[in-house]
Amino acid sequence: MTSTEDWSWSMLEPSTRALFVDAFRPPTGHHVDLAIGTTYTLGLRMLFLPPLAMAAHDREVQLLEDDPDEGHAPVDTLALLESVRRYADRTTVYCHAGAIGSPGSYPRLLTFAEDCVVQVLPPVPGHIFHPKVWALRFRRDDELVHRLVVCSRNLTDDSSWDTLLILDEGSHGAGIAGSPAADFVRTLPGMAVGHIAPDRPAQAMDLADSLRNVWFELPKPFTGGELHPLGLIRDGASAWPLPERPDRAVVISPFLDVPTATRIKARRSPVLVSREETYDLIGANAVRHTDVKVLNPHAEAELATDTSSPRSQPEEVRTGLHAKVLVWDVGSTGHTYTGSANATHAAFNGNVEFGVLLTGPRRVCGVEALLPDGEPSRDRITFGHIIQDHEVPNPEAVEDPKLKAERDAALHHEALLKAGPQLTCEDDDNRYAVSLTFARPLPTSPGTTRVRLVSRPRTDRLSPEHGLWRGVHLTQLTAYLEVVTQVPVHGRDDDLEIASVLKAELVGAPEDRASEVLRSYLGSEESIVRYLRFLLDDADVGSLWDDLRLSEADGTTHTRPPVTFEDLSILEPLLRAAADGSEALDRVEALLRDLGINQDEPGVVSAEFLALWQAVWEATGGERR
């Protein structure tokens, strides 16, 4: 669901990120000033998506790994490298402690994004940090414009059906008041567990201050709306929004519990849409008063997500239904509540969540707009086309011992983070030895727990008490620690394996670590020239790809001869940037500085280019540092 001109029901199709990427598109003439996002689970590779969307918002880019056997970094890696370097210092992602997924192979680009990640726990013990919302601020000179992106999808690569609501800043005093979003952003740093970069709390306060008096436009045809951050204070009051007996109601939620399912009532039989596994757990008696639905088999098809890797959190959804929406009618008014909260007691009684309540005329904003009466029309695709009736086989609720084992492992990983993990780096024969220590006593594991640096092979898993890795290359130093716990499950012969990543405090890492990673990507004259052209042209990935490969009439391709500093194609954008006073010159200067390139140590950069650059830089008022 997006704030388009005319509201109609829609869900994000599995594996698509188009709307999410588009949400970061700045208004004309603006650039992204600050971006603060929240998620329950976090895929470390997906951490690159917001900066990439900011830098190349008009093109969806495939995130490719660099190939060490190639003579230069692939084009997509160059785009990703620049986007992370440019936007990581203004992007922060808050996620539930212990809910970071393992990235598999280690992307060295994570070095530039370590400060982006903040692990948090909610104020109410025993609950989870579960919101999926982005607060964005765009700038043009002294003008600030805000946007709120409210999702049901985590920042992961899961293939699931989700919702997305984009709210742009509108006229003051009209629409949806932004002050609840300001309160929400302001509380985030106070929930941090473990290391948090010193500048991130100040950024949150700054964004909260500017959000305080913002009003967001209502998506048509809604006529009213409110922001609903949940779980920020321990007041003990339930935030369940559905009235006791509305005229009609539809509840869409991948997870349910018996107390909440039994309270979903309406004058006309309410429609309940969930997952078969969820119905099996709560039993038919809990939902016998509702019209029980599931996604049809075609919509439930598992498209692209690899579900073979261990899960990081209990009840983690990777495919199928993941949207959370409540729609109900009272009199002539329709209500739509969308966001992160499942229809469970915990969601509205202690979890940190974020939702939006929208109201408007019942016919276009209520149940009838979502599920029109009568048979679905072939001329109009509606939500009714992708759901079907479902019969719950067992009458009573059942316990799933696997879920208890998952929760035990997840709580243990949270406890390990609260114990204060610290990774200390020391010289080790031109490499580094990295040792793991904890500031507080280790908790007792519910099974067998092993840890490793995410940059090391899986064969290097060690016990938390004896974590020491030798021979670690400078580019492989990382704050991310994978934790894998094998937990016995009642009634099963094999143990359940739960893996997650903790961000530890990294101590003793050399100051030039990021520069060495940068040099590892830009170690040749050709790669630096292409990167400089990328900076100077502010080119998109497509133009760089065209530079690398030329298409023949028969569809075959061949590689263009390597570019060098003698290639005059770099001269024009350099002079154009100088004439325009472009910020691209500052980015070039920062790149050369970070690479340690100067007249005394030019590396692979030609002396002629350095002389030209020095003249341009000084002529535009710059001064080499």
Side-chain angles (χ1 to χ4, degrees), residues 311-386:
R311 300 201 303 188
S312 63
Q313 287 294 299
E315 301 179 341
E316 183 181 0
V317 171
R318 296 185 176 179
T319 61
L321 181 71
H322 194 243
K324 299 99 173 169
V325 184
L326 309 178
V327 182
W328 69 92
D329 298 338
V330 176
S332 61
T333 303
H335 304 72
T336 297
Y337 186 97
T338 181
S340 65
N342 289 292
T344 63
H345 179 81
F348 293 93
N349 294 270
N351 286 358
V352 175
E353 309 274 2
F354 199 98
V356 180
L357 175 61
L358 300 169
T359 58
R362 183 183 66 185
R363 184 181 59 82
V364 290
C365 297
V367 173
E368 185 179 345
L370 175 61
L371 292 176
D373 291 332
E375 292 295 321
S377 170
R378 293 184 179 181
D379 299 328
R380 180 190 174 200
I381 301 299
T382 70
F383 186 59
H385 284 88
I386 65 170

Side-chain angles (χ1 to χ4, degrees), residues 527-591:
S527 62
I528 294 178
V529 170
R530 293 189 186 281
Y531 195 76
L532 287 171
R533 288 179 58 185
F534 184 89
L535 294 178
L536 291 168
D537 283 337
D538 221 1
D540 61 24
V541 175
S543 64
L544 284 173
W545 182 257
D546 292 339
D547 286 344
L548 281 176
R549 297 192 180 278
L550 298 175
S551 297
E552 303 287 7
D554 61 359
T556 61
T557 62
H558 66 269
T559 302
R560 177 175 288 183
V563 295
T564 68
F565 284 103
E566 297 177 357
D567 189 339
L568 294 179
S569 63
I570 198 174
L571 178 60
E572 180 183 352
L574 177 61
L575 296 179
R576 185 172 63 246
D580 295 342
S582 170
E583 292 181 359
L585 293 180
D586 295 326
R587 293 194 287 269
V588 172
E589 202 281 332
L591 172 68

Side-chain angles (χ1 to χ4, degrees), residues 596-624:
I597 291 173
N598 53 56
Q599 295 289 349
D600 297 329
E601 297 184 26
V604 297
V605 177
S606 71
E608 291 79 6
F609 173 79
L610 279 180
L612 173 63
W613 167 251
Q614 182 73 21
V616 170
W617 185 242
E618 291 178 353
T620 55
E623 186 174 320
R624 292 286 289 163

Side-chain angles (χ1 to χ4, degrees), residues 130-422:
H130 196 251
K132 303 101 166 55
V133 61
W134 282 85
L136 307 174
R137 189 172 75 191
F138 306 102
R139 178 182 293 274
R140 181 174 62 185
D141 298 327
D142 293 331
E143 178 190 4
L144 299 177
V145 178
H146 299 79
R147 179 178 296 157
L148 209 61
V149 184
V150 183
C151 320
S152 67
R153 178 175 289 184
N154 292 300
L155 193 56
T156 63
D157 60 354
D158 299 336
S159 295
S160 52
W161 290 90
D162 280 279
T163 58
L164 181 76
L165 176 65
I166 301 174
L167 299 174
D168 280 312
E169 183 174 348
S171 301
H172 183 76
I176 303 175
S179 55
D183 295 337
F184 175 77
V185 170
R186 192 179 301 279
T187 63
L188 293 174
M191 302 183 212
V193 180
H195 177 70
I196 178 172
D199 60 332
R200 304 302 159 137
Q203 288 183 358
M205 299 305 110
D206 184 16
L207 182 55
D209 287 343
S210 62
L211 274 171
R212 171 63 55 189
N213 296 315
V214 166
W215 288 75
F216 294 101
E217 292 180 349
L218 282 163
K220 296 179 181 179
F222 291 104
T223 56
E226 300 173 349
L227 304 180
H228 282 210
L230 308 180
L232 302 183
I233 56 176
R234 308 186 195 193
D235 59 2
S238 175
W240 177 248
L242 192 66
E244 184 174 346
R245 191 174 289 275
D247 297 327
R248 298 180 67 183
V250 178
V251 173
I252 305 169
S253 177
F255 299 109
L256 302 164
D257 57 23
V258 172
T260 306
T262 55
R263 72 183 298 183
I264 298 172
K265 297 178 181 179
R267 298 182 185 281
R268 180 170 165 179
S269 180
V271 177
L272 186 56
V273 185
S274 189
R275 301 165 62 89
E276 291 187 18
E277 311 94 281
T278 297
Y279 290 129
D280 290 342
L281 288 174
I282 66 174
N285 288 341
V287 294
R288 61 186 176 185
H289 60 292
T290 70
D291 189 0
V292 177
K293 305 282 187 179
V294 295
L295 293 185
N296 66 40
H298 177 71
E300 279 277 19
E302 297 185 0
L303 299 183
T305 297
D306 176 12
T307 59
S308 61
S309 58
R311 300 201 303 188
S312 63
Q313 287 294 299
E315 301 179 341
E316 183 181 0
V317 171
R318 296 185 176 179
T319 61
L321 181 71
H322 194 243
K324 299 99 173 169
V325 184
L326 309 178
V327 182
W328 69 92
D329 298 338
V330 176
S332 61
T333 303
H335 304 72
T336 297
Y337 186 97
T338 181
S340 65
N342 289 292
T344 63
H345 179 81
F348 293 93
N349 294 270
N351 286 358
V352 175
E353 309 274 2
F354 199 98
V356 180
L357 175 61
L358 300 169
T359 58
R362 183 183 66 185
R363 184 181 59 82
V364 290
C365 297
V367 173
E368 185 179 345
L370 175 61
L371 292 176
D373 291 332
E375 292 295 321
S377 170
R378 293 184 179 181
D379 299 328
R380 180 190 174 200
I381 301 299
T382 70
F383 186 59
H385 284 88
I386 65 170
I387 60 175
Q388 65 182 33
D389 294 333
H390 177 69
E391 184 175 346
V392 184
N394 299 315
E396 300 296 335
V398 297
E399 292 289 336
D400 185 350
K402 185 176 72 171
L403 286 179
K404 180 183 183 305
E406 288 179 344
R407 292 190 185 102
D408 289 344
L411 289 173
H412 178 59
H413 295 179
E414 288 180 19
L416 283 174
L417 181 62
K418 288 189 284 188
Q422 187 178 82

Side-chain angles (χ1 to χ4, degrees), residues 437-481:
T437 57
F438 291 84
R440 289 169 285 280
L442 289 176
T444 302
S445 175
T448 302
T449 297
R450 293 289 182 266
V451 297
R452 72 172 176 102
L453 296 178
V454 296
S455 58
R456 301 290 287 184
R458 286 191 170 93
T459 53
D460 283 357
R461 289 175 178 170
L462 306 170
S463 68
E465 297 89 347
H466 303 96
L468 174 62
W469 297 270
R470 294 190 177 277
V472 181
H473 191 272
L474 178 58
T475 61
Q476 302 296 309
L477 295 179
T478 177
Y480 293 110
L481 183 73

